[in-house]
Amino acid sequence: ALALERARLRREVAEARLREQGEALREALLNSVSHDLRTPLAVILGSATTLEGLGEGAAPAARRELSAAIREEAERLSSYIENVLDLTRIRAGQLSPRLELVELSDIVNAALRRKQRALAAHRVEVRLPADLPMLRLDLFLMEHALANALDNAAKYSPEGSTVTVAAAREGAEVRLSVTDAGRGMDAALLAHAFEPFHRGGPADGRAVAGSGLGLAICRAFVQANGGRVALASAGAGRGSELAMHLPVPEIEVAGVDDD
């Protein structure tokens, strides 16, 4: 009877903790939505209203500027909604990777194309050895994970700085890293970097746009592919490195062992 009572108490404590975490997540989601949806929507509505008011007599330069503002804020809104939906899938346990043999260079190139606009103000260096093994991964999930890492590096690095994407074979893993020259992180920030809705601040003190979900989703997608993620920084003002450790297929590992 005592053992059953203890089991019941443990179950109630666990359920209470899950409810508390769920409430905290809902509150954070509502706060984030109220801010991050309102800002781009205000720009889109304002620009569209101005464009409509100018009519056919608007100067071409003004029309282009307003159209660009609408497009950029719509892309930002789309990215935010995509991240919220991804978080919902992760929380619901609906991640089911479709693994296939892929070239890591294909994933890197696709992610760079996807974040071309975000990285436009930075120098991008890519270092991929030609002899990297093929990996068994979900192409979409890994492209999305890397795109979020690139987006994070661009947001927290000053314009004109270098973002480096590099890969190397390390035994039974391939290490894919994204390194920036941004504000860096101290131990306190590193401890919370993968928490949903957690945000840091850029090197120049400007507010950072975004949901604070990028790294949390990046880690979840890498883990769904059987990998792991590590974030390191030498300290404030010294940049950061996000490393994804991806498993090499057993047949490739066996081939190396035989040699």
Side-chain angles (χ1 to χ4, degrees), residues 205-230:
R206 291 178 292 104
V208 178
S211 60
L213 298 175
L215 290 186
I217 291 169
C218 174
R219 181 174 66 173
F221 282 6
V222 172
Q223 289 177 341
N225 280 272
R228 56 192 176 89
V229 177

Side-chain angles (χ1 to χ4, degrees), residues 221-245:
F221 282 6
V222 172
Q223 289 177 341
N225 280 272
R228 56 192 176 89
V229 177
L231 184 63
S233 174
R238 303 180 67 180
S240 303
E241 181 192 64
L242 185 143
M244 309 177 198
H245 299 265

Side-chain angles (χ1 to χ4, degrees), residues 10-161:
R10 283 196 297 269
R11 185 172 62 254
E12 289 179 355
V13 169
E15 291 173 352
R17 187 178 294 114
L18 285 174
R19 285 195 298 271
E20 182 180 350
Q21 291 175 349
E23 289 298 327
L25 178 62
R26 277 191 290 273
E27 182 179 354
L29 180 59
L30 288 173
N31 291 339
S32 183
V33 166
S34 65
H35 176 270
D36 291 302
L37 291 184
R38 186 178 299 151
T39 302
L41 279 175
V43 175
I44 292 170
L45 289 172
S47 299
T49 301
T50 302
L51 191 59
E52 186 180 27
L54 291 174
E56 296 298 328
R63 295 176 67 89
R64 284 195 299 270
E65 183 177 349
L66 290 168
S67 298
I70 292 172
R71 184 191 66 248
E72 289 172 5
E73 292 302 318
E75 289 175 352
R76 175 180 165 189
L77 188 61
S78 176
S79 177
Y80 175 78
I81 292 172
E82 189 176 57
N83 276 342
V84 171
L85 292 175
D86 285 338
L87 178 65
T88 303
R89 291 172 58 205
I90 292 167
R91 293 289 180 176
Q94 294 177 351
L95 279 183
S96 52
R98 305 174 73 174
L99 303 179
E100 57 182 331
L101 285 175
V102 297
E103 295 278 359
L104 192 59
S105 58
D106 292 341
I107 293 173
V108 172
N109 291 333
L112 287 172
R113 285 194 300 270
R114 184 172 182 173
K115 290 300 174 181
Q116 185 174 5
R117 189 179 299 276
L119 293 164
H122 298 78
R123 293 188 300 272
V124 179
E125 292 185 4
V126 180
R127 303 171 185 169
L128 299 179
D131 59 349
L132 285 175
M134 295 186 72
L135 303 177
R136 192 172 295 279
L137 302 169
D138 183 303
L139 186 63
F140 170 78
L141 292 183
M142 283 306 306
E143 177 195 332
H144 200 157
L146 180 57
N148 278 358
L150 290 169
D151 193 49
N152 195 73
K155 285 178 182 177
Y156 293 96
S157 302
E159 293 185 0
S161 62

Side-chain angles (χ1 to χ4, degrees), residues 180-198:
D180 63 62
R183 69 180 297 252
M185 298 183 186
D186 56 23
L189 280 175
L190 283 172
H192 300 283
F194 290 104
E195 294 178 2
F197 306 106
H198 177 79

